[in-house]
Structures are given as structure tokens and as C-alpha cells.
Amino acid sequence: MELPDFMSYANKFSQTDFVEKIASIAKRAGAKLVYAALILYYTLQSDKISTANKAMIVGALGYMISPLDVIPDAIPIAGLTDDLAVLLFVLKKVWTDIDPEIQQKAKDRLSKWFDEDEIDEIKNLFKNEE
């Protein structure tokens, strides 16, 4: 899958829209997508990350929030695969800047929406990417 120009979606990101989107798609999206999104969201709030990486994160989260992307989110199953691909692409780019505390914070939030069996899929976050 070729990634879209997700940076053009940076203006779509807002904290309120992010929280609403995650809450509305959590179960349908799966733990892997939600975990990746939460890590990026919490990393965005860190003062240890460069402005360039923050811009990339904002673009990826804006892409996820936007209803107008390559594969519309309303399409069952396939609708969120492009969002996951963009999130994982950016997550790989900034992974070395992500503190273990951020990963744990995202996992703690994840446990409020998913049971342990569903959370197991985050153990191989970068495996079986679309």
C-alpha cells in the first residue's frame, strides 16, 4: 500500500476530535490501531520530541480523524487499514523518541476499552502491517 500525503491532513487534528474519534472507533478499529494512536497522541504532548516529529504526528493523527481519506472509515474492515498504515509508519519514524512511560500510559488507557485477549495484539505492534 502506498501511503497518502498524510501531512496535508495536519489541519484536521484537534485534541477534542481525536478523543471523540478514538472513543467512537475503538472496538471496531482494534487494539493495535488505538494503541498506536494513543502512543502518538501522548508523544505529541512530550517536550522531548522535535518539532519536525511533532508535525509528522499531527499529520498522521489528522489523517486518522479525517473522514476524507484514501479508504473511507465507514467501509467495514478495510476502512481503517490506511489509518493503521499511516499511524504505524509515523510510529516507526519516532519510535526512538518514545519513552516507556508513554507506552505504559497508552496501554493503561487501552485497558479501559479492551480485554486482555484483545490487548495481546499490541505485543507485535509492527508485525503483519497492511
Side-chain angles (χ1 to χ4, degrees):
M1 170 189 284
E2 185 176 324
L3 290 177
D5 178 18
F6 61 86
M7 290 303 294
S8 65
Y9 291 85
N11 65 338
K12 303 285 186 197
F13 176 76
S14 77
Q15 288 188 343
T16 303
D17 289 345
F18 173 79
V19 171
E20 287 176 10
K21 178 76 172 205
I22 285 293
S24 70
I25 68 165
K27 281 292 192 180
R28 185 169 56 96
K32 188 181 274 192
L33 184 145
V34 174
Y35 183 60
L38 287 170
I39 289 174
L40 291 174
Y41 176 73
Y42 292 134
T43 300
L44 186 61
Q45 299 169 6
S46 171
D47 59 355
K48 297 177 184 176
I49 190 158
S50 72
T51 303
N53 283 347
K54 282 187 178 190
M56 200 169 21
I57 290 170
V58 166
L61 294 177
Y63 183 83
M64 186 197 80
I65 291 169
S66 176
L68 305 173
D69 53 24
V70 175
I71 305 172
D73 296 346
I75 296 174
I77 302 169
L80 296 170
T81 57
D82 60 324
D83 294 343
L84 179 59
V86 166
L87 293 175
L88 290 177
F89 173 81
V90 172
L91 195 56
K92 278 184 176 181
K93 294 282 188 188
V94 300
W95 190 252
T96 57
D97 294 333
I98 297 173
D99 292 330
E101 296 84 26
I102 289 175
Q103 294 174 45
Q104 188 59 51
K105 187 175 180 179
K107 190 173 182 183
D108 291 346
R109 174 61 71 142
L110 204 63
S111 68
K112 295 179 181 182
W113 291 321
F114 298 93
D115 61 33
E116 259 328 293
D117 290 342
E118 293 169 312
I119 292 174
D120 277 348
E121 73 180 76
I122 70 169
K123 289 179 182 174
N124 298 312
L125 188 59
F126 298 115
K127 297 211 190 258
N128 299 323
E129 293 175 37
E130 297 300 326

